[in-house]
Amino acid sequence: YSSQLSVQQKEFERSEDPFRTVSLFKRPIPCINSTQSTSEKIQKALSFWHQRSPMGEFFLFYQNGKSAVRCSVDAVPASVHLWTPLLEHNAASKLCWTNDPRHKGVHYDSTVSCAILHFACTNAFALWQKYYTLGNFPNECVANTVVHEPNTFHCLCRDTLVSACASSTFDNENDNDQGRSAMYRLFLRHVALTDATVIEEHLHAGVLERISLISF
């Protein structure tokens, strides 16, 4: 199934429930390419997001989606993130990131209407809190089996907060700011989209989608 990334239209208060208030989502590239919109409109919209990303990418988090797929009997999981066709002779070269048909191991099925909605970052406080908790983490993790590219959004958040807190310590609870202002500016610059005209253009191009959630 495809994965769609939430887009915040304003800075939500910490008390607000994003599952009730967020309705705007980025659509995955394979879904965008299947729309009837002109390629010029699509490229203009994608370029807007590429320019906001430190790595020039569309999604800031998990472009490969989440580990939920509909698969045939010849597809088996190679890890929590990787799938491989069981019967392919060149299966070793067919390892693919889950939900990403660009790797040609698992194919996007445009007839499937359901999708995974990823509420990755719904307010600036949550963004600050995550990276305040993580602290100055290394680029390598999971016993050095995963290496974060230094110019990803993930590392940009770390470096922004570390720099903002350079004059204090991560356990100084008396610091009134502790990098919150810096993360708020980062949130507005890279995550939130508040321009109603741009939103409508991207909805028309099929790059964004409005999804009304079910009632709880």
Side-chain angles (χ1 to χ4, degrees), residues 79-184:
S79 74
V80 294
H81 286 126
L82 303 177
W83 289 74
T84 182
L86 181 64
L87 302 180
E88 290 279 354
H89 292 293
N90 58 342
S93 64
K94 290 282 188 176
L95 288 176
C96 67
W97 287 107
T98 309
N99 293 343
D100 194 337
R102 292 175 297 178
H103 296 277
K104 298 180 180 179
V106 178
H107 301 283
Y108 169 67
D109 186 352
S110 61
T111 64
V112 177
S113 59
C114 52
I116 299 167
L117 303 182
H118 186 194
F119 295 80
C121 177
T122 56
N123 64 69
F125 178 82
L127 185 68
W128 168 83
Q129 189 175 47
K130 173 181 178 179
Y131 289 94
Y132 184 85
T133 301
L134 290 175
N136 192 9
F137 58 84
N139 287 346
E140 298 80 18
C141 63
V142 194
N144 294 327
T145 60
V146 176
V147 179
H148 300 298
E149 294 290 337
N151 56 341
T152 59
F153 182 69
H154 182 52
C155 291
L156 175 63
C157 290
R158 173 200 62 193
D159 296 343
T160 298
L161 186 58
V162 168
S163 177
C165 295
S167 59
S168 62
T169 60
F170 277 96
D171 59 352
N172 182 6
E173 296 299 334
N174 294 321
D175 189 330
N176 292 327
D177 185 81
Q178 296 179 306
R180 290 183 180 88
S181 297
M183 297 304 285
Y184 177 77

Side-chain angles (χ1 to χ4, degrees), residues 51-72:
Q51 292 174 20
R52 300 181 96 206
S53 166
M55 288 191 69
E57 296 183 338
F58 183 39
F59 277 29
L60 293 175
F61 303 92
Y62 298 106
Q63 297 187 78
N64 53 299
K66 290 295 186 178
S67 296
V69 296
R70 184 179 67 177
C71 61
S72 61

